[in-house]
Amino acid sequence: MTPNELFDLSGKVALVTGGSRGLGLEMVRAFAAAGADVVVASRKLEACEAVADEVRAMGRRALAVAVHAGRWDDIDRLVEAAYAAFGRIDILVNNAGMSPAMPSHEVTEQLFDSVLNLNFKGPFRLASVVGKRMSDGEGGVIINVSSSGALNPLPRVVPYSGAKAALNAMTVSLAHEYGPKVRVNTLSAGPFLTDIAKAWTEEAREHADNALGRPGRPEEVVTTALYLASPMSSFTTGAIVRVDGGAQ
């Protein structure tokens, strides 16, 4: 097969949480460009619909779903909506997340629960429910978007780093539980110049403590996402693929 054929997602259905902006938006656009129909999920329906219109303009089908990706009842509703519209999910991307930074002694129980719910509990529910359907059907791919903060934990973001570390462990567990028909991998992202970078200092937007010395541009996540979503990575599962510019 040629590289273009290996990256071809024609006839596939991808579901991306947090798909209305940032890295999720870049992945939605890339999957649609590669031929996939896409379910765009995030908290604001209007934002999802705008992205879904982009996908439709590319000649693909799209479904916009407003969902809180940390709540199991919302997750179950999302899954049912996706299967009702397309009859299948071939590519699942657990991308939605949050990472508020503050001194650990100031973290409230409510904030702690919110961070773990969105970064781990919700992704666990979505991956397990969809993974079982994939395993019972024709198989599929699950991509869990994690963070370099799980591999190199930093102060002031302990709940986030812990949740992402749990997500990394989940990747390995589910790869074995739902393999061989389902491949499950982690895309471990470093600092990217997405919407959250607007709150960074000018120095942080231009320089990073990694081998490349800079943050990533959002579009630089695309090739790794396509690799993990496509037959190009047919022998890759249970892996943590770092896209962080060489963070230490």
Side-chain angles (χ1 to χ4, degrees):
M1 299 178 71
T2 67
N4 284 343
E5 290 173 326
L6 286 169
F7 278 121
D8 184 20
L9 301 180
S10 297
K12 303 296 185 181
V13 176
L15 188 161
V16 182
T17 65
S20 64
R21 63 179 185 173
L23 299 185
L25 174 58
E26 296 295 333
M27 287 186 269
V28 167
R29 288 169 172 165
F31 294 158
D37 299 322
V38 187
V39 180
V40 184
S42 72
R43 297 188 67 170
K44 297 181 179 179
L45 182 59
E46 184 178 354
C48 293
E49 287 288 6
V51 177
D53 285 341
E54 280 192 48
V55 173
R56 296 179 188 118
M58 299 169 69
R60 315 301 178 200
R61 296 181 297 163
L63 174 68
V65 183
V67 62
H68 188 305
R71 297 175 179 166
W72 280 26
D73 54 349
D74 270 27
I75 292 296
D76 292 346
R77 177 173 55 81
L78 170 62
V79 172
E80 292 306 318
Y83 278 90
F86 296 113
R88 60 190 294 148
I89 296 172
D90 302 290
I91 302 158
L92 167 64
V93 182
N94 272 314
N95 172 69
M98 62 184 291
S99 57
M102 66 173 58
S104 294
H105 59 274
E106 295 180 8
V107 175
T108 65
E109 183 177 11
Q110 181 180 7
L111 179 60
F112 183 93
D113 289 345
S114 294
V115 172
L116 264 68
N117 287 349
L118 187 58
N119 290 289
F120 181 56
K121 188 176 82 170
F124 166 76
R125 178 63 174 176
L126 186 54
S128 58
V129 170
V130 173
K132 179 63 166 63
R133 292 201 188 199
M134 288 176 170
S135 181
D136 289 343
E138 298 178 10
V141 175
I142 298 173
I143 302 170
N144 296 314
V145 179
S146 187
S147 168
S148 56
L151 302 175
N152 302 293
L154 299 171
R156 298 169 59 90
V157 286
V158 174
Y160 176 74
S161 294
K164 289 301 190 182
L167 196 69
N168 291 352
M170 182 186 85
T171 286
V172 179
S173 295
L174 294 187
H176 288 272
E177 185 168 351
Y178 295 126
K181 295 173 70 175
V182 183
R183 293 189 297 107
V184 188
N185 290 293
T186 286
L187 190 162
S188 180
F192 274 87
L193 294 171
T194 57
D195 294 346
I196 62 172
K198 295 175 183 177
W200 297 357
T201 65
E202 183 176 350
E203 168 68 17
R205 289 194 294 270
E206 294 181 356
H207 301 95
D209 186 19
N210 57 23
L212 295 183
R214 64 170 177 84
R217 298 182 298 275
E219 63 272 17
E220 290 183 299
V221 78
V222 164
T223 49
T224 303
L226 284 172
Y227 165 74
L228 292 175
S230 71
M232 187 69 82
S233 59
S234 60
F235 197 55
T236 301
T237 193
I240 297 175
V241 182
R242 294 174 50 179
V243 190
D244 55 20
Q248 291 184 329

